[in-house]
Amino acid sequence: MGTLRFDLTVPTRSFDVEVALEVGRETVALVGPSGAGKTTVLDAVSGLKRPSRGTIEVGDETWFGGRVNLRPEERSVGYVFQEYALFPHLSVERNVAFAGDGAGLLERFGIAELAKAKPGQLSGGERQRVALARALARRPRVLLLDEPMAALDPHSRGQVRAELRSLLRELDLPTIIVTHDFLDAAALADRIAVLVEGRIVQAGSAEELISRPANAFVAELAGGNLVHGFAHPRADGLTEVALEDGRFIVSTDSATGPVGVVIHPWEISLARKETEDSAQNHLRGQIESIVPVGNRRRVRIGPMTAEITAASAEELELEEADTVVASFKASATRLTPLS
């Protein structure tokens, strides 16, 4: 198939998008807020937007660079747009055939029985499968997906995400997914690149971004609790952090000065009173909310959210407005400089 490599600059009204990436037979997610330049990158790779400088190559073929600028139809790209962009007046089979050879794709995607249906008669997950089949009908060397989960309702999102993940592993194509949802990125991609105002601020696996965020934005995006404080080293090798509310916690990370403190919800345990255990951090507070998430409960206590099992929540008989103690280890308390 060949590796996709690009290093480009694309001007926008607000800033220049400057991104360099190498994507092998894997899925890379571009994650970031709206307006960060994520779709601009896809449009540049596909040929819909022209960079002001740079190169785009797939294997030994140049798509952009020097005097070369292949038109979109000359680039071997399958592009799945955010709203899927299916032709409403065409049937499923004609939508797929419009892009190229659709032989076998309807069966492969489990939509053969929908061949004569129109897009307006399909569910969100079915429309996504049609859009993917149409993109693959071109027999592309590169696959681009713009917010593939955005048009789905919450009830079908989990199932479709699992289906898409399985499909992407099977395709074994250089694939770029654009999303603003870190959970989607973590579920679908082998690597994640966080894009902010046209620049990649950190790239790596979901685990790397969660455990070692490069800055406060990445920490918050990756789902950790984020509070601010002022850090100074202690004689015992730990770092003490004075939080904005006047309380103190400790971390095994080294830092001095203003910091963002990141604690992941699953690292926090709850109890009715302070217990004797290995955790060095204990913060008492009132429960603001208890939200079911599958067989777990996300419990909000002041600036912190803890994630515990439903069984633990029932055993503790937790209710909103109850006072509890949130405990977490110094080794689970990550610090990211803010200055």
Side-chain angles (χ1 to χ4, degrees):
M1 287 294 178
T3 296
L4 167 65
R5 298 177 299 276
F6 59 90
D7 182 347
L8 48 82
T9 300
V10 186
T12 69
R13 287 186 299 176
S14 304
F15 47 76
D16 286 350
V17 175
E18 297 188 77
V19 173
L21 269 179
E22 185 169 308
V23 184
R25 299 162 77 97
E26 60 180 332
T27 298
V28 174
L30 283 179
V31 185
S34 298
K38 304 185 299 295
T39 299
T40 297
V41 173
L42 298 191
D43 288 347
V45 171
S46 68
L48 295 177
K49 285 187 178 178
R50 178 171 182 154
S52 59
R53 58 150 292 277
T55 58
I56 303 171
E57 301 170 339
V58 179
D60 58 0
E61 182 176 303
T62 298
W63 288 0
F64 179 83
R67 297 184 178 181
V68 177
N69 182 26
L70 298 187
R71 297 189 300 273
E73 61 270 22
E74 296 175 315
R75 304 186 188 196
S76 184
V77 171
Y79 199 152
V80 178
F81 296 92
Q82 182 170 336
E83 298 295 333
Y84 308 139
L86 300 175
F87 298 114
H89 61 290
L90 297 182
S91 65
V92 165
E93 62 182 356
R94 292 184 63 193
N95 261 285
V96 174
F98 183 87
D101 182 7
L105 287 172
L106 299 189
E107 289 80 8
R108 181 179 183 182
F109 284 91
I111 50 177
E113 71 279 8
L114 303 173
K116 303 302 181 183
K118 301 288 181 63
Q121 300 171 292
L122 307 179
S123 69
E126 290 167 343
R127 287 196 298 274
Q128 185 190 79
R129 289 197 287 272
V130 175
L132 281 163
R134 187 178 64 180
L136 293 174
R138 297 192 66 190
R139 303 294 188 254
R141 298 175 67 186
V142 172
L143 184 61
L144 308 176
L145 296 91
D146 190 359
E147 296 281 4
M149 314 302 294
L152 302 176
D153 63 80
H155 300 291
S156 61
R157 196 180 186 100
Q159 178 184 348
V160 176
R161 184 194 288 132
E163 291 175 358
L164 182 55
R165 178 184 175 86
S166 177
L167 171 67
L168 293 176
R169 297 295 181 275
E170 178 188 339
L171 291 176
D172 203 27
L173 281 173
T175 300
I176 301 177
I177 291 178
V178 154
T179 179
H180 67 276
D181 190 313
F182 187 84
L183 181 59
D184 286 344
L188 297 172
D190 302 290
R191 288 190 291 137
I192 299 172
V194 180
L195 195 69
V196 179
E197 293 189 346
R199 306 291 195 280
I200 292 177
V201 298
Q202 188 173 2
S205 67
E207 292 77 11
E208 289 169 340
L209 269 62
I210 289 170
S211 62
R212 287 289 177 184
N215 57 35
F217 177 83
V218 177
E220 193 167 15
L221 179 75
N225 290 294
L226 176 66
V227 293
H228 294 166
F230 193 90
H232 70 270
R234 294 198 325 191
D236 61 2
L238 296 177
T239 300
E240 185 173 87
V241 181
L243 301 180
E244 292 180 326
D245 63 6
R247 291 185 285 185
F248 293 85
I249 60 173
V250 294
S251 171
T252 53
D253 284 2
S254 298
T256 302
V259 292
V261 182
V262 181
I263 310 103
H264 296 290
W266 51 88
E267 299 280 7
I268 301 175
S269 62
L270 298 181
R272 287 288 181 176
K273 58 183 180 179
E274 192 168 322
T275 57
E276 293 292 334
D277 56 24
S278 60
Q280 297 195 50
N281 296 310
H282 305 277
L283 299 179
R284 182 179 295 274
Q286 278 193 327
I287 296 176
E288 296 181 5
S289 64
I290 303 174
V291 179
V293 181
N295 64 350
R296 304 183 70 79
R297 300 292 181 267
R298 292 179 71 90
V299 185
R300 184 75 175 176
I301 310 104
M304 302 283 186
T305 296
E307 186 173 297
I308 62 175
T309 64
S312 294
E314 291 172 8
E315 182 179 342
L316 290 168
E317 299 181 338
L318 297 182
E319 294 184 4
E320 292 184 8
D322 285 355
T323 298
V324 294
V325 176
S327 302
F328 48 95
K329 295 181 179 180
S331 59
T333 306
R334 300 302 184 188
L335 305 181
T336 181
L338 296 180
S339 59

